[in-house]
Structures are given as C-alpha cells and as structure tokens.
Amino acid sequence: MKQLTFKRQIFCGVIVIVIANALAFIFHQGVFVNIAWILYGLLFILHPVYPAQFQSREKLAIGAVRFAGVLCIIIGLLVWFYP
C-alpha cells in the first residue's frame, strides 16, 4: 500500500463525503453526511499529514491539521444536513 500523503488523504476524504451524500439522497437520511464529516475529521486527527512545503515548521503544521480535523468534527456534530 502506498504511503498516505496529504493529497491522497484529502482525495480519500472527498470520496467519503461524496459517497455519504449519495447515500443521504438515496435513503433520505442526512445523518450519513454528518458521519462522513466526523470520520473525515478523525482521519486528520489520528493521522495528521501536511503538505511538503511545511516540512520546516512540522509542529505548527501538525497542530494546524489537527485543528482542521476538530473543525470538521464540529461541522459534523452541529450542522444537520437534509437530503
């Protein structure tokens, strides 16, 4: 398996959200989108990857990526999506 880079992780997250949106429209349950946002945020908290250009400021980049993951989880918990 290839190493999970920032670009691949963003792409995987977008795929998860697109699939969740499709499931939400098919089953008329907006909770799929909320779960996708929470999973997307957890992915960045548990595996914080950052773009290669921030290699010199690694601690700051990891903190920023984890903060973005927390924001995704907050979106998933507070915003209710309706199909």
Side-chain angles (χ1 to χ4, degrees):
M1 181 162 179
K2 295 181 181 180
Q3 184 179 359
L4 193 59
T5 63
F6 182 74
K7 186 176 181 178
R8 286 186 187 135
Q9 189 162 328
I10 292 285
F11 182 72
C12 290
V14 169
I15 295 297
V16 167
I17 291 175
V18 167
I19 290 171
N21 277 320
L23 289 172
F25 284 117
I26 291 169
F27 295 114
H28 301 286
Q29 296 292 323
V31 72
F32 288 113
V33 180
N34 295 90
I35 292 170
W37 276 100
I38 292 169
L39 290 175
Y40 191 46
L42 282 175
L43 182 65
F44 277 102
I45 290 173
L46 298 176
H47 188 265
V49 292
Y50 49 88
Q53 64 217 31
F54 294 108
Q55 191 71 26
S56 63
R57 306 186 94 193
E58 184 176 358
K59 289 185 180 184
L60 179 66
I62 288 175
V65 167
R66 285 193 169 144
F67 180 71
V70 170
L71 288 178
C72 289
I73 291 174
I74 289 172
I75 288 171
L77 292 175
L78 295 180
V79 178
W80 289 102
F81 296 96
Y82 295 102

